[in-house]
Amino acid sequence: MIAVKGARRGLRRNCEVRPPECFFAYAPRGVGLLAAVAYLDADRDVYGWFAGPRADGRVLGCYFLLEGYHSPGPVVYEAVEAQDLYGGWSLEESRRHELSRLEEAIAREWLFARDDPQAEGERRSYAEAELALGALGVRFERLRRFSTDQPVWTYFSPGFQRSVLRQLAKRWPLDFRPQFEESA
């Protein structure tokens, strides 16, 4: 389950939450939001959060660790569902707290739950624009930041490393599989 709070406060640059790198994929004539990814770099690792629909249609949110991502040698992937953030996985506790704050900030700034009573304006905007809306949606005003020249609209934050998305998409349980150019 993905909890998305209605109140919006911007992502702040402070010592509590470093600005994350973000990616969103949206199918305006399909199922709506396909994937949301936010991550942080730390020395040799990358860790973050992703959400989106699985093949069975259920929306899934997971925290992940790409251990050794910035090191020579193999990358170790580890992921837990959102409710297991503080459960049995190897990510240190301070990073777990950071991920919890990261998810809250991204959800508040970028996403909303379709069934949230406070999301009536978002649902109305999607209906008026005749755009797809799944169980989890991108805030309508944020869609203008997306690249819309392909059937799947995308947004990459300026420092987002596409290779992080490649590593995740090979392993994640989401239905979305990004298409990469051979030379990329």
Side-chain angles (χ1 to χ4, degrees):
M1 168 137 181
I2 309 293
V4 179
K5 297 182 178 65
R8 284 189 249 168
R9 293 183 300 238
L11 294 175
R12 287 179 242 139
R13 293 179 184 261
N14 63 29
C15 61
E16 289 190 18
V17 176
R18 292 177 282 150
E21 298 301 338
C22 303
F23 164 79
F24 298 92
Y26 170 72
R29 303 290 178 236
V31 299
L33 182 70
L34 298 169
V37 177
Y39 72 85
L40 298 165
D41 274 309
D43 299 325
R44 55 187 286 275
D45 304 329
V46 168
Y47 59 104
W49 169 81
F50 62 79
R54 296 172 8 146
D56 64 7
R58 188 183 108 187
V59 174
L60 180 68
C62 290
Y63 297 101
F64 69 87
L65 169 64
L66 294 173
E67 188 176 13
Y69 179 79
H70 295 295
S71 300
V75 174
V76 177
Y77 170 79
E78 193 174 355
V80 297
E81 289 193 26
Q83 69 271 12
D84 296 326
L85 174 61
Y86 295 100
W89 68 313
S90 65
L91 193 67
E92 61 192 57
E93 184 143 351
S94 64
R95 288 184 179 179
R96 294 178 193 198
H97 294 308
E98 195 171 19
L99 283 180
S100 177
R101 291 188 299 267
L102 177 138
E103 178 197 2
E104 288 176 17
I106 293 297
R108 188 174 44 250
E109 185 80 10
W110 284 89
L111 305 171
F112 70 96
R114 180 183 59 208
D115 60 357
D116 182 346
Q118 296 179 351
E120 178 58 35
E122 297 287 352
R123 291 189 299 272
R124 186 175 31 257
S125 294
Y126 271 81
E128 289 171 1
E130 298 180 357
L131 295 173
L133 176 59
L136 187 61
V138 175
R139 295 197 179 281
F140 190 78
E141 75 273 2
R142 290 290 186 172
L143 290 175
R144 68 175 166 240
R145 297 181 70 182
F146 282 53
S147 171
T148 60
D149 59 346
Q150 298 291 321
V152 173
W153 297 359
T154 56
Y155 170 81
F156 290 91
S157 62
F160 192 94
Q161 299 173 50
R162 283 174 164 78
S163 57
V164 169
L165 182 59
R166 264 180 238 225
Q167 288 284 336
L168 289 173
K170 287 191 283 189
R171 299 169 167 99
W172 66 16
L174 302 185
D175 194 35
F176 176 64
R177 296 290 178 251
Q179 301 297 310
F180 295 103
E181 295 176 19
E182 290 301 316
S183 61

